[in-house]
């Protein structure tokens, strides 16, 4: 199994631009999570899906952030418009079942200038 | 919400030394995992250990769920063990996901 696959690995964009991060979970996993890591706030949950349905999006910072999971093998996290304070590493993780072992992707390092 | 406290925040070791990292949590949990974030930023799953003891090579972990803590033991540390160790817990309530502690930063020198 290739694990959780995220793309791109690095993204540098100008303030105001739209950014789309992508994630392919492990085949057969039915829960998918988006986390953000910053020095100030550590690892924080943004949103998670169970069977492609968003369950908890209370961690999404504001309306500029949106996430979708159109099918069991693909999810996107979109920021529009992006701001410098969005600069962080964004991780995607997947698991089978609510209390299963989480597997993380390699992350996307986003820099907004 | 649940609180996850890790100690110590920083640890410096000589190669070959042993260490114990601690994770305290404030409420009952369904899941507890230990992760290692290496210098390249990857989050590597070390243990899935909601209770009991597990060992994997030089690393072992123990979780005492009734007393709300978990310990990660690193024996004969190597420079490749350097990085940040995170404890993460899944609260025993519906509609939640893993909550991370702030981590322990380990530096192992040769």
């Amino acid at each position: 199994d290739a694990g959780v696959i995220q793309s791109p690995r690095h993204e540098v964009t100008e303030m105001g631009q739209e950014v789309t991060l992508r994630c392919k979970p492990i085949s057969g996993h039915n829960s998918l999570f988006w986390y953000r890591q910053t020095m100030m706030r550590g690892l924080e949950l943004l949103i998670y899906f169970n069977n492609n349905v968003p369950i908890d999006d209370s961690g999404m910072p504001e309306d500029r952030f949106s996430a979708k999971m159109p099918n069991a093998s693909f999810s996107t996290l979109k920021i529009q418009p992006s701001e410098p304070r969005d600069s962080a590493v964004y991780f995607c993780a997947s698991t089978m079942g609510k209390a299963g072992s989480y597997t993380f992707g390699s992350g996307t390092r986003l820099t907004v200038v | 919400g649940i609180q996850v406290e890790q100690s110590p925040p920083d640890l410096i070791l000589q190669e070959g030394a042993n260490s114990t990292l601690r994770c305290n949590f404030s409420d009952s949990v369904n899941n507890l995992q230990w992760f290692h974030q290496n210098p390249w930023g990857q989050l590597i799953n070390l243990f899935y250990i909601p209770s009991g003891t597990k060992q994997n090579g030089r690393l072992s972990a123990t979780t005492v769920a009734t007393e709300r803590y978990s310990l990660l033991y690193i024996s004969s540390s190597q420079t490749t063990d350097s990085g940040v160790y995170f404890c993460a817990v899944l609260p025993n309530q519906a509609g939640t996901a893993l909550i991370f502690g702030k981590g322990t930063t380990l530096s192992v020198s040769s």
Side-chain angles (χ1 to χ4, degrees):
Chain A
D1 194 329
V4 176
I5 299 172
Q6 291 187 243
S7 64
R9 289 296 308 276
H10 303 274
E11 177 81 33
V12 180
T13 191
E14 292 185 347
M15 183 174 61
Q17 295 298 307
E18 177 181 295
V19 176
T20 300
L21 311 182
R22 297 173 176 80
C23 176
K24 176 179 170 54
I26 290 175
S27 177
H29 282 189
N30 64 349
S31 295
L32 182 141
F33 310 83
W34 284 99
Y35 284 82
R36 179 172 68 176
Q37 186 177 32
T38 61
M39 289 294 292
M40 292 296 294
R41 301 174 66 90
L43 274 155
E44 53 181 345
L45 177 72
L46 299 178
I47 185 171
Y48 84 92
F49 296 84
N50 189 48
N51 293 324
N52 311 338
V53 176
I55 303 299
D56 180 6
D57 65 354
S58 61
M60 296 285 264
E62 49 199 89
D63 291 346
R64 298 184 298 105
F65 285 67
S66 63
K68 294 182 180 180
M69 192 165 185
N71 56 62
S73 60
F74 184 66
S75 177
T76 59
L77 178 68
K78 184 178 294 186
I79 308 173
Q80 166 65 13
S82 57
E83 297 182 2
R85 60 190 168 124
D86 302 329
S87 298
V89 180
Y90 291 80
F91 286 100
C92 176
S94 71
T95 184
M96 172 54 113
K98 177 177 182 293
S101 177
Y102 285 42
T103 300
F104 280 77
S106 298
T108 294
R109 182 174 295 277
L110 174 65
T111 303
V112 183
V113 297
Chain B
I2 194 168
Q3 302 298 313
V4 183
E5 302 288 339
Q6 292 188 242
S7 60
D10 301 283
L11 188 57
I12 299 174
L13 299 175
Q14 286 286 325
E15 205 168 23
N18 302 328
S19 61
T20 301
L21 282 57
R22 188 177 179 100
C23 173
N24 293 332
F25 43 97
S26 60
D27 208 341
S28 58
V29 299
N30 282 330
N31 175 11
L32 187 147
Q33 290 185 244
W34 283 96
F35 294 89
H36 175 217
Q37 188 166 38
N38 63 25
W40 294 271
Q42 291 181 299
L43 278 167
I44 308 299
N45 184 8
L46 297 177
F47 293 103
Y48 169 78
I49 186 165
S51 64
T53 296
K54 291 185 177 179
Q55 180 154 8
N56 184 3
R58 297 181 295 103
L59 273 59
S60 63
T62 295
T63 296
V64 184
T66 53
E67 297 186 21
R68 299 180 184 170
Y69 73 89
S70 183
L71 303 174
L72 177 69
Y73 305 95
I74 304 174
S75 64
S76 304
S77 58
Q78 300 177 358
T79 56
T80 52
D81 295 331
S82 297
V84 184
Y85 290 81
F86 290 101
C87 169
V89 302
L90 182 68
N92 186 15
Q93 61 187 80
T96 59
L98 274 185
I99 306 297
F100 280 78
K102 294 185 184 302
T104 292
T105 300
L106 174 64
S107 298
V108 181
S109 58
S110 57

